[in-house]
């Protein structure tokens, strides 16, 4: 219900951001990617596309920092890129609160403890996001995700929702030091 209300309330912003990103990204305002959800079930996440598809002379994508558009930088800074995920919540793939859905390629790299993050539905925001977001290292992020799984409650979800609103207004922890996006997880070794 909250997702539906959020989509309706955000629809004017949704339309403006869609238009601006369509212009910045040659008609492609959305980014789709497969992600693991509850119990590792794969679903297709939808986000606003904040980076273009520019490539080097060999056909390889340029580094993220070079592909981040001006509009995309603003959309990320204000966390507006997360709005389309309300559709994933409506479909039941995600929840408003839970561990962020990461890349499918990370699944075999998790320790048994880290994979516990998939015992609940992934969320648009979560305990790791309000405790550092992309400024956290992978081990800290996974520890927060598992802590959330072990302490799941309605009161905790309300606290995370409130803390998320505060973090968005302060623009804290959006990027990792020296990076436009979070560095890739390469395992526990």
């Amino acid at each position: 219900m909250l997702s539906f209300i959020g989509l309706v309330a955000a629809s004017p912003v949704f339309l403006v951001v869609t238009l601006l990103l369509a212009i910045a990204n040659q008609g492609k305002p959305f980014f789709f990617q497969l992600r693991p959800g509850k119990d590792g079930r794969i679903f297709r996440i939808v986000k606003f596309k904040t980076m273009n598809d520019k490539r080097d002379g060999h056909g390889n994508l340029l580094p993220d920092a070079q592909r981040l558009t001006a509009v995309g930088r603003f959309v990320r800074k204000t966390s507006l890129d997360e709005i389309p995920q309300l559709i994933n919540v409506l479909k039941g793939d995600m929840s408003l609160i839970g561990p962020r859905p990461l890349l499918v390629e990370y699944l075999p790299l998790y320790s048994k403890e880290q994979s516990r993050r998939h015992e609940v539905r992934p969320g648009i925001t979560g305990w790791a996001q309000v405790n550092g977001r992309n400024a956290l290292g992978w081990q800290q992020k996974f520890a927060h995700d598992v802590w959330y799984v072990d302490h799941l409650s309605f009161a905790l979800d309300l606290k995370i929702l409130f803390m998320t609103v505060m973090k968005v207004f302060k623009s804290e922890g959006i990027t990792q030091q020296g990076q436009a996006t979070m560095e890739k997880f390469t395992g526990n070794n």
Side-chain angles (χ1 to χ4, degrees):
M1 181 63 92
L2 286 176
S3 301
F4 180 74
I5 292 169
L7 269 174
V8 171
S11 61
V13 173
F14 186 93
L15 292 172
V16 169
V17 172
T18 300
L19 177 65
L20 292 174
L21 288 173
I23 293 167
N25 294 315
Q26 290 83 40
K28 300 176 189 172
F30 299 105
F31 171 77
F32 300 93
Q33 190 174 51
L34 297 179
R35 300 282 178 98
K38 186 175 187 304
D39 300 321
R41 187 179 63 81
I42 307 300
F43 70 97
R44 191 171 174 195
I45 197 169
V46 58
K47 294 178 75 168
F48 279 126
K49 185 174 179 159
T50 57
M51 291 187 279
N52 61 39
D53 296 322
K54 290 185 179 174
R55 298 177 182 271
D56 63 18
H58 301 288
N60 300 313
L61 285 172
L62 292 173
D64 291 350
Q66 293 177 22
R67 296 186 302 121
L68 191 60
T69 64
V71 174
R73 190 172 292 109
F74 173 78
V75 169
R76 279 187 182 218
K77 183 176 182 177
T78 56
S79 295
L80 294 173
D81 59 323
E82 311 295 349
I83 291 174
Q85 290 173 63
L86 291 170
I87 297 166
N88 290 113
V89 174
L90 282 173
K91 289 173 51 185
D93 296 327
M94 293 177 66
S95 180
L96 288 176
I97 313 295
R100 289 291 300 146
L102 300 174
L103 299 176
V104 173
E105 67 191 67
Y106 296 169
L107 284 173
L109 303 176
Y110 296 138
S111 69
K112 186 174 183 177
E113 182 70 5
Q114 292 166 343
S115 67
R116 293 193 55 229
R117 66 192 313 281
H118 295 289
E119 292 177 10
V120 297
R121 267 189 276 187
I124 294 175
T125 187
W127 190 240
Q129 283 63 48
V130 297
N131 284 290
R133 199 170 172 181
N134 288 338
L136 294 175
W138 284 111
Q139 300 309 319
Q140 293 171 295
K141 193 176 284 199
F142 293 142
H144 284 306
D145 289 346
V146 173
W147 185 91
Y148 173 80
V149 170
D150 290 338
H151 296 87
L152 181 66
S153 71
F154 182 69
L156 179 59
D157 283 358
L158 286 178
K159 179 179 179 176
I160 293 170
L161 200 54
F162 175 76
M163 290 174 72
T164 297
V165 171
M166 300 311 295
K167 294 281 183 184
V168 168
F169 281 115
K170 292 179 182 179
S171 297
E172 290 180 347
I174 293 169
T175 58
Q176 193 173 40
Q177 189 69 30
Q179 308 240 357
T181 57
M182 182 73 180
E183 68 180 63
K184 287 187 81 123
F185 177 58
T186 57
N188 295 294
N189 297 328

